[in-house]
Amino acid sequence: MSEIPHRGGDLPTPVPNVERLFHAASYTSEGYRAFHDVSFRCSPDDPCALHLTHMVQGGETTWVFAIDLLEAGLYDEVGEGDVRISPADVLPIPEVRIDYFSNTGNFSSFYPLGEIEAFLETVNTRYPRPVRDTSLAEAFSEIVPETWYRGL
C-alpha cells in the first residue's frame, strides 16, 4: 500500500455524516399502512442534499432532495413533483408529513416535528451553508436588458 505524500502540518479531521434513524408511519395511496425505519442522512460531500432511506421488508429505497425543502416544509406546504412536505398537526404531537410520488405508487410518511428540528439544527451546525451572493445576478441585470435573457 502506498502512502499519499503530505506537505506537512496536520491532516484535516474528516467531518462525519449527520445521520438519524426515525421510526415512521407510512400510508400508501391504496390505503395500506406500514411502520418502518427511515434514515435521514447529510454528508459533508454535499451538505445541501438530504438522503432519506426507507428500510422496508424486502429492501431499501432512497429519495434524495434539497435539505432546504425539508426546512421550508416544517411550517408551510412546499414542493412539487416527486416530493412534497407539509406540517401535519396531529395531536398530541405536531408532525411533519412527507409525500412521495412515483410511477409505481404514492405514499406519505409522518415524523415528529421536534425530532426533525433537532436533526436540522445538527446539520446546520455541522455544515454551515454560505449566504447566497446575489451581486453577480444584480450586475448581470444592470448590463443586459431584461428582454434579451427573458426569451432564453
Side-chain angles (χ1 to χ4, degrees):
M1 178 187 287
S2 64
E3 292 187 20
I4 298 172
H6 180 58
R7 295 186 181 216
D10 293 333
L11 290 173
T13 304
V15 178
N17 292 339
V18 174
E19 190 163 0
R20 174 92 190 260
L21 192 64
F22 290 90
H23 192 67
S26 293
Y27 302 87
T28 68
S29 54
E30 294 83 23
Y32 296 108
R33 179 177 70 175
F35 296 97
H36 61 282
D37 290 330
V38 181
S39 168
F40 282 54
R41 181 177 58 83
C42 282
S43 77
D45 297 332
D46 189 0
C48 295
L50 176 63
H51 300 253
L52 267 64
T53 301
H54 292 260
M55 294 165 260
V56 294
Q57 191 174 25
E60 296 181 349
T61 301
T62 300
W63 293 72
V64 181
F65 53 90
I67 196 159
D68 289 345
L69 187 67
L70 179 61
E71 286 179 318
L74 296 183
Y75 307 104
D76 288 313
E77 188 173 331
V78 296
E80 54 187 59
D82 295 346
V83 178
R84 298 177 190 158
I85 303 174
S86 61
D89 291 327
V90 179
L91 296 175
I93 300 169
E95 293 184 313
V96 176
R97 174 182 176 153
I98 303 179
D99 297 314
Y100 305 88
F101 299 88
S102 76
N103 57 357
T104 59
N106 309 328
F107 69 98
S108 301
S109 295
F110 294 83
Y111 308 92
L113 174 63
E115 293 181 31
I116 297 293
E117 289 173 325
F119 171 78
L120 289 170
E121 184 176 337
T122 302
V123 169
N124 290 329
T125 300
R126 189 163 300 160
Y127 314 128
R129 284 174 269 163
V131 176
R132 291 187 178 147
D133 181 3
T134 59
S135 59
L136 181 60
E138 290 169 4
F140 182 78
S141 66
E142 289 177 15
I143 296 169
V144 179
E146 182 178 347
T147 54
W148 180 80
Y149 63 87
R150 211 30 103 151
L152 293 180

